[in-house]
Amino acid sequence: FGEVPTGCAITRDGARPGDDLWVSGQPGRAALALAALRGETELASEHQPDFMAALHRPEPRAALGPALRGLVSAMLDVSDGLLGDLGHILERSRVGCSIDTSALPLAALSAACPDAPRVMQAMLRGGDDYELLFTALPDHRERILAISESLALPLHRIGRIEGTPGLRALAADGSTSELPVVGFDHFA
């Protein structure tokens, strides 16, 4: 619960073609921890405490949201997976998006789990991260990076909002492929 100054709420419907797509922190840790608890994958022992804490005691980005006020055009928390929640922004804003797969923050996940397909699934479809997914004009990049530094919280620019509906993955070689807008299934 909380309060927002009149006219300052950041909603899901403000994304516009040309906006950058950003995500905070490290999505996917909670999903990998859950998979490890279910015996579906293994986590390196040195990463287990951090990943289990992400699952059992997630830290909402309460300071980041207000810090981004006035800079971002659309925002929501990643509770149903990055792709699933991005789908909410795209639907409400009536836009599409290309995700730059080489910009996804996969290094920490890959260091904890050697199963590359599982890591990508955790990043894109894993739930309960409570990171923030947001869009902003490219003109705001420097200010957003300054907020990242002041909060000691990584913010990753992972894509671009487009006028053409749909969700696409942009590979390092420049090729694109369609992505399904599928998030975490709480009942699976």
Side-chain angles (χ1 to χ4, degrees):
F1 295 100
E3 296 180 8
V4 177
T6 302
C8 294
I10 305 168
T11 62
R12 302 173 181 190
D13 63 356
R16 299 293 175 255
D19 282 355
D20 290 331
L21 176 67
W22 296 78
V23 68
S24 66
Q26 182 58 73
R29 290 180 307 152
L32 284 178
L34 181 60
L37 287 174
R38 290 180 171 172
E40 298 167 355
T41 195
E42 292 185 21
L43 292 176
S45 59
E46 65 270 21
H47 295 281
Q48 287 180 8
D50 176 52
F51 281 53
M52 292 300 168
L55 176 64
H56 297 300
R57 291 179 305 283
E59 294 183 32
R61 301 305 182 187
L64 178 59
L68 293 171
R69 192 178 297 136
L71 297 176
V72 304
S73 51
M75 182 167 59
L76 78 166
D77 70 323
V78 180
S79 57
D80 293 331
L82 194 147
L83 292 183
D85 287 317
L86 175 56
H88 298 310
I89 289 176
L90 300 181
E91 179 183 352
R92 293 293 305 272
S93 298
R94 296 185 179 109
V95 293
C97 182
S98 285
I99 292 180
D100 179 355
T101 58
S102 66
L104 292 172
L106 294 169
L109 300 181
S110 296
C113 177
D115 182 349
R118 172 74 66 179
V119 165
M120 186 61 83
Q121 180 181 351
M123 168 64 64
L124 296 177
R125 295 192 175 113
D128 297 327
D129 288 308
Y130 302 101
E131 296 295 350
L132 293 181
L133 185 66
F134 59 94
T135 63
L137 289 170
D139 293 350
H140 296 311
R141 286 178 188 166
E142 287 184 29
R143 291 177 64 192
I144 291 169
L145 292 173
I147 290 169
S148 173
E149 187 174 326
S150 72
L151 295 176
L153 173 64
L155 300 177
H156 312 279
R157 186 167 44 93
I158 61 168
R160 188 169 181 88
I161 300 299
E162 300 170 339
T164 304
L167 181 55
R168 291 157 292 282
L170 175 63
D173 66 4
S175 64
T176 61
S177 59
E178 293 295 316
L179 284 172
V181 181
V182 178
F184 179 73
D185 182 352
H186 294 272
F187 301 103

